[in-house]
Amino acid sequence: ETGVTQSPTHLIKTRGQQVTLRCSSQSGHNTVSWYQQALGQGPQFIFQYYREEENGRGNFPPRFSGLQFPNYSSELNVNALELDDSALYLCASSPAGTGYGYTFGSGTRLTVV
Amino acid sequence: DQQVKQNSPSLSVQEGRISILNCDYTNSMFDYFLWYKKYPAEGPTFLISISSIKDKNEDGRFTVFLNKSAKHLSLHIVPSQPGDSAVYFCAASSSLQGGSEKLVFGKGTKLTVNP
């Protein structure tokens, strides 16, 4: 059973650019959630995808968007990058829309300069 | 508005002693609570959880206590081992539309267990 894999592991972007982060969910999990963890903070919920539809969203602006594909993998896109977007982005998969039983990936460390 | 609070950024204990990590919350609608452990360069790993209708859950060396009236939970690790050194996050489950759930995390407590 494979876990959650995220790519890339590290990324450096310039302010104003766009970035796409990728996540492959754990086998058997059809729900993917994305979290942002800023330095010294706990993970903050960005949004969740279930059956290729956005299933809930946290307090993040519309320039944060996502997709889920038929194989349950997911992308997080961030447009017009700002310095405060520098953070660890965590993807978590779970069965059937629950928060219970989350499996987290190791994250993508995004640095915006 | 931080709904889940971990007021101790760090905790240091001796190997073999008890580690007690604390967490407070403000939202009485949370369904259940979870503890995650995080090592550097890894994602958070689920440790133990407790339903809002229980007051204690035990799994090996780990026990979580819930005091609903005080909106407080704690994680006890007995005996503590050096391999327990990590950042511990308290999280609460919050409902989304359509019956789904998200997790609300505290800021974490860095536990160091000294040999």
Side-chain angles (χ1 to χ4, degrees):
Chain A
E1 171 178 287
T2 57
V4 176
T5 57
Q6 292 186 241
S7 62
T9 53
H10 296 83
L11 201 53
I12 300 175
K13 288 285 190 178
T14 303
R15 189 171 51 181
Q17 285 187 315
Q18 179 265 343
V19 69
T20 297
L21 310 182
R22 295 179 174 83
C23 171
S24 294
S25 61
Q26 179 169 313
S27 175
H29 288 184
N30 57 16
T31 301
V32 173
S33 304
W34 286 91
Y35 287 78
Q36 180 197 65
Q37 186 183 4
L39 199 61
Q41 304 294 316
Q44 275 201 294
F45 177 73
I46 303 175
F47 43 55
Q48 182 180 96
Y49 278 83
Y50 174 59
R51 293 183 175 176
E52 302 176 54
E53 298 282 336
E54 187 179 286
N55 196 39
R57 188 178 184 92
N59 189 25
F60 281 82
R63 58 189 185 83
F64 284 78
S65 63
L67 282 173
Q68 187 180 31
F69 300 98
N71 66 354
Y72 306 130
S73 65
S74 177
E75 287 182 355
L76 164 65
N77 299 289
V78 187
N79 293 321
L81 283 166
E82 301 178 359
L83 297 179
D84 285 349
D85 296 333
S86 295
L88 180 67
Y89 288 85
L90 294 163
C91 171
S93 71
S94 59
T98 67
Y100 201 87
Y102 267 14
T103 300
F104 281 88
S106 297
T108 294
R109 171 72 63 187
L110 173 65
T111 303
V112 182
V113 297
Chain B
D1 174 29
Q2 198 172 359
Q3 298 185 65
V4 176
K5 298 179 183 179
Q6 295 176 258
N7 293 318
S8 298
S10 62
L11 175 67
S12 183
V13 300
Q14 284 298 120
E15 181 178 5
R17 307 294 289 267
I18 184 172
S19 297
I20 300 177
L21 295 95
N22 294 303
C23 178
D24 297 297
Y25 62 95
T26 58
N27 187 344
S28 58
M29 299 300 290
F30 287 139
D31 294 324
Y32 57 91
F33 303 88
L34 309 92
W35 285 93
Y36 281 83
K37 180 166 78 171
K38 187 179 185 301
Y39 294 116
E42 294 184 13
T45 304
F46 171 75
L47 195 57
I48 191 169
S49 65
I50 186 167
S51 165
S52 59
I53 63 173
K54 300 276 182 79
D55 55 18
K56 177 182 176 181
N57 187 27
E58 191 171 353
D59 183 1
R61 297 187 296 114
F62 303 92
T63 304
V64 57
F65 296 92
L66 175 62
N67 182 334
K68 284 188 69 174
S69 61
K71 293 191 175 69
H72 177 84
L73 63 154
S74 60
L75 173 68
H76 293 211
I77 306 174
V78 184
S80 302
Q81 299 173 354
D84 296 330
S85 298
V87 177
Y88 288 78
F89 289 101
C90 172
S93 172
S94 178
S95 296
L96 295 171
Q97 61 192 18
S100 183
E101 298 167 343
K102 67 176 184 181
L103 294 181
V104 181
F105 285 88
K107 290 186 177 183
T109 296
K110 183 177 182 181
L111 172 66
T112 302
V113 180
N114 301 303

